[in-house]
Amino acid sequence: MALRIYNTLTHRKEEFEPLNPPAVTMYVCGPTVYDYIHIGNARVFIVFDVIRRYLNYRGYRVKMVQNYTDIDDKMIRRAAEEGISVPELAERFIAAYKEDAARLRVRPADVQPRATEHIGPIIGLIRRLEKRGLAYVSGGDVYFDTGAFPGYGQLSHQSPEELVAGARVEPGERKRKPLDFALWKGRKPGEPAWDSPWGEGRPGWHIECSAMAMRYLGESIDIHAGGADLIFPHHENEIAQSSGATGKPFARYWLHAGYLNIDRQKMSKSLGNVLTVRQLLEEFNPLDFRFFILSAHYRSPLNFSRDLLLQARSGRERLQELADNLSRALPASRRDTEEGGDQLRQSIAAARERFIEAMDDDFNTAGALAALFELAREANIYLNGDHPHSRKLLEECLAFYGETNALFDILELREPDELEELDEELRQMIARREEARRRKDWATADRIREELLARGIILEDTPHGVRWKRKPLS
RNA sequence: GGCGACAUGGCCAAGUGGUAAGGCAGAGGACUGCAAAUCCUUUAUCCCCGGUUCGAAUCCGGGUGUCGCCUCCA
C-alpha cells in the first residue's frame, strides 16, 4: 500500500516518492500578517497541518517551512491606516496568528521565516535570474521576463496567450508584457525600503517564497502547498523564478486546498462576509471546527454555515462521548479477561486498516473519519455488554483513538481522573439526587437534575451508575 | 472568450467498472421512573440524454446546472 497524492502540476494522483526518503521537505504559503486570519485561511492551515502529521505518522521525517509575508502592498496600506509602522503591524498580527493557530491546534512549522529577514537571499535570487536573462530592470523596478521562461503556465495549465487574454496591466506599471511580474519594487515615498543593486526598494510578493523555500529546504523540494487561489499567479510565478534560477524542478508535488465558502459565497471583504477565526471561536469549539474541516476532502470546495457546524458538532460529540466513556471504564476494568471482546478486537484492527487506506488515498479525511465512527459503534456495543471490561481491550481501543487523534486533533482525550474533577457542591447535589432516586422521589431527583443542567452539568443514569458531563457551549 | 472543478438519500459527505461508506436530522423499537447516552430497524440506483461493456455513480460523447481561476485574495 502506498501513499498517493493529487498533484496540481500533473492533474492526477501520483505515488508519493520524496527526493530523499525518509526526509520530506514541505513548504506552505503562510499568512500576510496585515489582519486576523479568517476561517478560510484556517482551513488551509488545518488541512496541511494534518497532512504534515500524517506524513510523519507514515514514517517520513517532514521538515516544514511556513512563511510570514510581512512586507507587501496590503501591509503598507494597512499600517498607514492604523498609523503604525509596517514592522509594528507585522509584530501585532504575527502574534495574533500564533494565538489563533494554537487555539486551532495547528502546530507551528519547523521554520517560520519572515520575508523582511531574508532580503539578502531574495536579492541573490533576483541576481541569478538577471544573469540568466530572465529578469530586466525597468525604472527602479525589476521584472521577471515570462516570455523568456518556456514553461510558464505549466501549473495553471494555461498557455501564456490564454493567460494574457484576461490579464490587465495596471496603469503606471513598467513591465513589458502583461504576464511579467515584479521581483523588486523601487522605493516610493513613505514606504519601507532596503538597499539593493537596483537602488532602494522592496521585494515583490512571489520572490520571497522562492527564496525562503530554497534557503531552508534546498533548490528542489518535495511538497509545496497553499490555497487553491494561489495556483495562479503566485505558484506559477514561484515555479518560473525558482526553476528559472536553478534550472531544476522546484517542487515535485503541488497541493492546493479548496475554498471555504460562507453560505455558498466566496468570502470577500466587499461582500462583508469574512469571518475571522476569532469570531468563530467566540461561539464554537475549535475541535468542532477541525472536525468540520476534516469531514470533507481537502481539495473540495466546502461550504460553511452555522447550521453545518452544528451538524459537525453533533458528530464530533459522538466520538468524544465514546472516548470519555472508554476512559471512565478503565479503572474498573480487569486484566484477567477478554470475554466478549472478539468483535471489538477485530474492529480495532479493521478501523486502523481502513483509516490508513483512506488517508493513503490523497488524504481522504472523510473516509478516515468513517473508520472512527465504525469502531465507535463496536466499542459502544462492547461497553454496554453484559461482561466485565477488559483492561487490555479498552487500552487498545483508546490507543487507536489516541493514535488517530494525534493526527486529527478532534477529540479531548482525558485521563480517567481528569474526568472526575467536579467541585464539592456539585458532587453533593449529585449525591442528594442519587439518594432521592433511591427513595423513588422522582420530583426531587428531577429538580436537582434541572438545577445541575442550569449550571452546565448533564446527568446520565446508566446501569453502572450516574455519569455527568459538561454541556457544550452555545 | 480561455482553462478547470463539481453535480450521490431531508442535510453534510466517501466511493473511478461488479449491484451505493460514514455522520447529522427524522420515524419506529429496545433500555430508562422520566430523560440522556447507547444499540437495533428504517429512507438513494447516484442531474438529464446517448454510447462503450456481460456489467457503470464510476469510462466516452452531448446537454443542463453550480462554482472557481484567468486581477490582490487562503
Side-chain angles (χ1 to χ4, degrees):
Chain A
M1 210 163 38
L3 173 60
R4 291 165 59 78
I5 300 181
Y6 181 88
N7 190 348
T8 305
L9 194 58
T10 57
H11 272 198
R12 57 178 59 112
K13 284 184 200 173
E14 300 172 349
E15 192 164 320
F16 182 55
E17 293 173 341
L19 273 173
N20 300 299
V24 169
T25 50
M26 177 170 179
Y27 187 92
V28 179
C29 286
T32 300
V33 285
Y34 71 112
D35 205 343
Y36 296 111
I37 59 167
H38 61 239
I39 61 174
N41 298 309
R43 179 185 191 189
V44 173
F45 298 132
I46 288 170
V47 153
F48 292 116
D49 175 50
V50 168
I51 286 175
R52 169 206 196 186
R53 296 192 206 185
Y54 185 70
L55 290 169
N56 281 319
Y57 174 79
R58 288 297 259 141
Y60 295 108
R61 290 206 327 275
V62 180
K63 180 175 181 184
M64 173 173 156
V65 176
Q66 180 178 298
N67 67 295
Y68 293 110
T69 296
D70 60 351
I71 176 67
D72 82 334
D73 293 345
K74 293 196 295 289
M75 293 290 300
I76 291 167
R77 189 176 353 109
R78 186 64 189 268
E81 285 166 12
E82 299 279 316
I84 59 177
S85 72
V86 169
E88 282 168 340
L89 183 76
E91 285 309 319
R92 178 189 302 176
F93 286 110
I94 285 173
Y97 171 80
K98 286 180 174 170
E99 283 176 24
D100 291 346
R103 291 186 68 194
L104 292 170
R105 312 221 179 176
V106 171
R107 294 193 184 152
D110 299 299
V111 187
Q112 302 164 74
R114 305 181 188 194
T116 56
E117 292 175 356
H118 296 78
I119 301 297
I122 289 170
I123 289 172
L125 189 57
I126 298 174
R127 298 198 72 163
R128 283 175 81 175
L129 290 168
E130 269 192 314
K131 286 192 190 117
R132 287 192 165 232
L134 290 169
Y136 58 88
V137 176
S138 176
D141 302 338
V142 184
Y143 292 94
F144 186 92
D145 183 359
T146 52
F149 182 73
Y152 197 76
Q154 62 187 97
L155 184 68
S156 42
H157 302 278
Q158 298 246 81
S159 67
E161 299 74 50
E162 290 165 343
L163 285 164
V164 167
R168 272 200 313 236
V169 181
E170 296 293 328
E173 282 199 59
R174 289 168 271 201
K175 54 194 183 186
R176 292 178 191 159
K177 301 197 201 87
L179 293 178
D180 293 352
F181 54 92
L183 297 166
W184 187 262
K185 297 185 176 186
R187 175 174 210 165
K188 292 185 193 131
E191 292 187 355
W194 290 263
D195 280 329
S196 84
W198 316 282
E200 288 194 324
R202 60 187 170 94
W205 174 36
H206 313 295
I207 195 72
E208 63 170 271
C209 285
S210 289
M212 292 188 283
M214 284 190 208
R215 165 89 182 226
Y216 294 102
L217 299 174
E219 295 190 343
S220 285
I221 69 177
D222 291 312
I223 293 174
H224 196 120
D229 50 351
L230 295 184
I231 296 171
F232 189 90
H234 185 55
H235 287 163
E236 192 71 59
N237 291 349
E238 279 194 59
I239 290 176
Q241 292 163 341
S242 307
S243 284
T246 65
K248 299 174 190 168
F250 179 39
R252 292 162 70 77
Y253 302 91
W254 288 87
L255 276 61
H256 293 97
Y259 286 105
L260 182 62
N261 298 314
I262 289 191
D263 295 325
R264 306 218 172 263
Q265 286 187 302
K266 183 173 169 176
M267 261 185 284
S268 77
K269 299 247 152 116
S270 54
L271 285 168
N273 62 350
V274 173
L275 184 64
T276 65
V277 166
R278 297 194 166 210
Q279 290 170 320
L280 172 83
L281 295 183
E282 282 171 17
E283 189 176 359
F284 290 100
N285 180 331
L287 300 181
D288 291 333
F289 184 68
R290 284 185 74 99
F291 181 96
F292 167 72
I293 293 300
L294 298 178
S295 69
H297 188 92
Y298 76 92
R299 281 190 283 115
S300 305
L302 178 59
N303 194 235
F304 176 93
S305 72
R306 193 190 139 73
D307 190 53
L308 290 170
L309 200 49
L310 288 173
Q311 247 186 52
R313 188 175 78 180
S314 298
R316 190 195 77 79
E317 278 172 358
R318 183 172 153 80
L319 294 177
Q320 183 68 63
E321 192 89 35
L322 170 71
D324 288 347
N325 289 341
L326 285 169
S327 292
R328 274 191 260 249
L330 219 40
S333 64
R334 287 165 43 182
R335 295 185 187 281
D336 60 347
T337 176
E338 288 187 31
E339 184 193 338
D342 291 348
Q343 181 65 48
L344 180 58
R345 190 181 309 101
Q346 284 173 28
S347 297
I348 295 170
R352 180 174 284 111
E353 195 174 323
R354 182 165 179 203
F355 183 92
I356 291 172
E357 199 177 332
M359 289 298 285
D360 270 359
D361 183 14
D362 195 31
F363 311 108
N364 183 349
T365 52
L369 284 177
L372 303 188
F373 279 103
E374 280 173 353
L375 177 59
R377 187 177 56 248
E378 294 303 331
N380 276 319
I381 289 171
Y382 180 76
L383 285 173
N384 292 338
D386 232 1
H387 43 68
H389 295 147
S390 152
R391 167 72 56 114
K392 180 160 176 280
L393 281 173
L394 294 182
E395 282 176 344
E396 277 179 21
C397 207
L398 277 167
F400 173 72
Y401 283 106
E403 184 180 318
T404 51
N405 199 235
L407 306 175
F408 283 8
D409 240 326
I410 51 176
L411 300 176
E412 206 80 71
L413 297 178
R414 316 176 185 95
E415 294 300 311
D417 48 354
E418 288 181 67
L419 290 166
E420 299 309 320
E421 283 174 23
L422 199 58
D423 62 51
E424 191 53 32
E425 185 191 355
L426 296 174
R427 297 179 89 118
Q428 283 185 12
M429 286 172 72
I430 293 173
R432 284 208 310 279
R433 176 168 172 278
E434 284 300 277
E435 176 54 33
R437 290 187 69 223
R438 271 193 287 279
R439 295 193 313 265
K440 295 199 190 302
D441 179 359
W442 309 125
T444 303
D446 291 350
R447 181 178 50 75
I448 296 174
R449 185 166 65 191
E450 286 301 309
E451 284 171 17
L452 282 164
L453 181 63
R455 299 174 65 161
I457 302 295
I458 293 171
L459 291 188
E460 296 175 3
D461 300 317
T462 78
H464 307 298
V466 65
R467 208 159 62 189
W468 66 269
K469 65 181 180 186
R470 294 195 190 281
K471 192 176 148 194
L473 296 169
S474 78

